[in-house]
Amino acid sequence: MLLPDQREEGSVYKKIYKTRDFKLKDDDINRYSGKTFFLKTYGCQMNERDSETLVAILESLGFSEEKDYTKADLLLLNTCSIRENAHNKAFGMLGRFKHLKEKRPEIIVGLCGCMAQELNVCEEIMKNYKFVNLIFGTHNIDRLPELLDEAVAKNSQQIEVLSREEDLVEGMPVIRSNKYKAYVNIIYGCDKFCTYCIVPYTRGRERSRKKEDILKEVKSLVDDGYKEITVLGQNVNAYGKDLYDDYHFGELLEDIAKSGIPRVRFMTSHPWDFTDKMIEVISKYPNIMPSIHLPVQSGSNRILKLMGRRYTKESYLELFDKIKNNIPGVSVSTDIIVGFPGEEEEDFLETMDLVNYCKFDNAFTFIYSERVGTPACKLKNNIPMEVREDRLQRLNEVVNNYFLENNNKLLNTELPVLVEGISDKKNMYYGYSDTNKLINFTSDNELNLGDIVNVVITEVHTWSLDGRVK
Ligand code: 5AD
Ligand code: SF4
């Protein structure tokens, strides 16, 4: 048994990471032929991307996917720790698995991902969810075949959670969930240590993939006919700083744009290290989508300082203006947390002022959630839940008005949209514009999924637009 140690996870140290290749043993291939797995993924795009690898490993082992969890032989949850509700959802699902396991004791239940990196979660499972066979974290996905074998052979709870990140593993298999859009990891982990955030503890220190490995993956996606890639990192702006003196995110983005992929997106960007080079590259290449996710978290300098965000409201706004003035037609989205410890009404009103200035195209708004082991969790002056909820509601009203106001400006304009499918609800094609707006649209001619078409906007809603192909 190997349990996580959050002090070790949170320690700052310098390590040089090596890269090694993943190889499945010949004996492992199809070892579980005829068995099925159910995998549920919570959380961010990183987790979705990890799940694409979990699926590929399981399928190489001979498993096939079963969408109905009551019928599967292996039940796996790839979990998220970012807020309490993600945590509660995973435990809720474990509760359902428990009933199933009582009826079918032979099934294997596993939990992986970010929650596995939390000692309190592992302890809770050891105490109250003894039926869970397998726990592994974010740093040893490549060990799934061995861990699974041990869990099956010993029929006891196997826990292997590494507190520190390992070397980078290249060549892990992947079965992508979309035929036209793909995620490409460029950097793992986060060193920013925002005081509210659990990610540096669950995902480890920043480790960039080598540029050759990234560009090789991008090239193979272009060759396979992919139309859009989203470059992923907890903070993509930190790319390369651990590896190269003069090759950072701007340079990488430029090389990715030159690969010929029709669309490039990236997320997430921390405002602290968003460079002029990045702005220059984004505005120069038409295939880099003019859509930037720039989390602000708060509009109060006092709260930003308590959050450890490394910028002020003024420097955020300066960057915001620079982006708006230099990237034609850019849309900017953000993340905002309300009810951080010590947030007074006047701090919240400063956030509202910032929102009124920025008029974001999209905003993900959250109630502050205490995460065990983070510095903010030890702060006094917790804000009562009714106040947090009230602020969220007031904030949402304002941000939603701006979504609609921005969308109204798009009426009768023409937007390029990647055709992704036909929505069941509306019986219309759907896809996203270059600026990442959800568009439902009709066409006189039948369209191919994966095409990029020009759509004229005919109707506007808060969270989507309707249109027809020109
Ligand atoms: N409570 C609430 N929201 C959080 N986020 C991160 N940690 C917390 C927390 N403890 C939000 C931030 C981040 C987004 C991914 O989740 O806004 O940008
Ligand atoms: Fe959730 Fe963060 Fe882990 Fe993503 S990295 S799954 S958001 S805790």
Side-chain angles (χ1 to χ4, degrees), residues 217-456:
E217 183 175 346
V218 171
K219 177 161 186 322
S220 78
L221 290 166
V222 175
D223 293 345
D224 289 346
Y226 276 84
K227 296 295 165 61
E228 180 177 302
I229 61 166
T230 302
V231 169
L232 291 183
Q234 300 303 342
N235 173 24
V236 289
N237 302 8
Y239 177 76
K241 291 181 183 172
D242 54 329
L243 283 184
Y244 310 114
D245 290 334
D246 52 5
Y247 191 93
H248 298 148
F249 187 53
E251 285 76 14
L252 178 70
L253 200 52
E254 184 155 28
D255 279 342
I256 292 175
K258 285 182 189 159
S259 72
I261 189 93
R263 290 180 149 196
V264 184
R265 300 186 188 279
F266 55 93
M267 69 185 314
T268 293
S269 284
H270 190 296
W272 187 73
D273 44 14
F274 205 108
T275 60
D276 289 352
K277 169 79 183 176
M278 285 168 59
I279 296 181
E280 182 200 313
V281 169
I282 298 163
S283 51
K284 181 167 161 198
Y285 290 89
N287 58 342
I288 303 180
M289 296 297 98
S291 157
I292 293 175
H293 189 59
L294 197 68
V296 66
Q297 314 299 0
S298 168
S300 151
N301 284 338
R302 202 174 64 80
I303 297 300
L304 286 171
K305 194 153 193 215
L306 286 173
M307 287 177 163
R309 287 293 285 177
R310 307 174 186 216
Y311 55 82
T312 59
K313 169 172 129 185
E314 291 74 20
S315 61
Y316 181 90
L317 292 177
E318 198 183 313
L319 173 64
F320 178 87
D321 285 341
K322 209 192 293 177
I323 288 172
K324 282 277 183 184
N325 293 335
N326 288 287
I327 306 174
V330 71
S331 70
V332 179
S333 56
T334 201
D335 292 342
I336 299 172
I337 299 175
V338 295
F340 187 81
E343 184 188 71
E344 302 286 346
E345 176 66 12
E346 60 207 51
D347 296 305
F348 173 67
L349 292 178
E350 285 200 66
T351 300
M352 293 284 247
D353 281 349
L354 183 135
V355 166
N356 284 322
Y357 180 86
C358 295
K359 304 184 167 66
F360 294 106
D361 285 275
N362 205 351
F364 300 90
T365 55
F366 307 108
I367 285 181
Y368 168 71
S369 170
E370 286 81 2
R371 307 318 295 132
V372 176
T374 59
C377 199
K378 297 187 196 90
L379 289 175
K380 305 256 168 357
N381 295 332
N382 271 323
I383 307 299
M385 198 42 93
E386 316 84 79
V387 177
R388 297 187 211 186
E389 280 165 0
D390 174 65
R391 286 182 188 160
L392 183 73
Q393 207 186 338
R394 284 154 65 203
L395 176 65
N396 282 345
E397 251 170 58
V398 176
V399 292
N400 292 349
N401 282 339
Y402 287 121
F403 303 163
L404 189 60
E405 189 181 306
N406 288 325
N407 283 351
N408 268 323
K409 291 188 198 136
L410 298 171
L411 195 63
N412 300 321
T413 63
E414 202 179 304
L415 301 176
V417 179
L418 172 64
V419 187
E420 285 193 34
I422 297 175
S423 77
D424 296 341
K425 220 157 105 197
K426 293 203 156 196
N427 197 23
M428 284 162 100
Y429 289 104
Y430 72 89
Y432 287 84
S433 69
D434 52 347
T435 49
N436 216 15
K437 306 263 179 195
L438 173 60
I439 320 276
N440 291 296
F441 56 100
T442 55
S443 167
D444 291 340
N445 304 315
E446 201 172 316
L447 300 174
N448 294 317
L449 304 189
D451 280 353
I452 295 173
V453 294
N454 284 330
V455 175
V456 176

Side-chain angles (χ1 to χ4, degrees), residues 8-11 13-20 46 50 114 117 137-142 162-170 172 184-193 198-211 213-214 231-244 247-249 252:
E8 206 174 317
E9 287 171 339
S11 64
Y13 53 93
K14 261 255 152 318
K15 182 178 163 194
I16 306 291
Y17 298 95
K18 296 199 199 78
T19 300
R20 63 184 166 79
M46 296 280 168
D50 283 349
C114 291
Q117 296 295 145
T138 57
H139 304 310
N140 51 348
I141 287 182
D142 56 308
L162 310 181
S163 303
R164 282 189 179 177
E165 57 287 338
E166 293 273 87
D167 289 333
L168 276 83
V169 187
E170 287 294 342
M172 293 234 263
V184 175
N185 284 317
I186 61 165
I187 179 167
Y188 303 102
C190 183
D191 288 356
K192 288 282 187 293
F193 287 98
I198 197 151
V199 171
Y201 309 90
T202 63
R203 291 273 172 180
R205 301 286 66 72
E206 285 169 357
R207 290 99 69 206
S208 299
R209 286 177 73 196
K210 284 194 216 135
K211 60 181 175 189
D213 291 324
I214 297 169
V231 169
L232 291 183
Q234 300 303 342
N235 173 24
V236 289
N237 302 8
Y239 177 76
K241 291 181 183 172
D242 54 329
L243 283 184
Y244 310 114
Y247 191 93
H248 298 148
F249 187 53
L252 178 70

Side-chain angles (χ1 to χ4, degrees), residues 39-51 77-90 112-115 138 183 198-199 202-203 232 234 267-268 364 366:
L39 172 65
K40 178 137 181 81
T41 308
Y42 300 89
C44 64
Q45 289 88 347
M46 296 280 168
N47 258 23
E48 284 177 32
R49 177 62 190 79
D50 283 349
S51 282
L77 298 182
N78 190 6
T79 60
C80 169
S81 322
I82 198 94
R83 282 172 293 275
E84 199 180 351
N85 56 356
H87 171 112
N88 291 346
K89 275 188 207 158
C112 64
C114 291
M115 276 170 66
T138 57
Y183 293 128
I198 197 151
V199 171
T202 63
R203 291 273 172 180
L232 291 183
Q234 300 303 342
M267 69 185 314
T268 293
F364 300 90
F366 307 108

Side-chain angles (χ1 to χ4, degrees), residues 2-28:
L2 199 53
L3 285 166
D5 177 345
Q6 221 157 329
R7 273 170 317 182
E8 206 174 317
E9 287 171 339
S11 64
V12 185
Y13 53 93
K14 261 255 152 318
K15 182 178 163 194
I16 306 291
Y17 298 95
K18 296 199 199 78
T19 300
R20 63 184 166 79
D21 279 323
F22 176 82
K23 178 110 181 60
L24 202 62
K25 288 197 228 76
D26 287 346
D27 285 358
D28 283 340

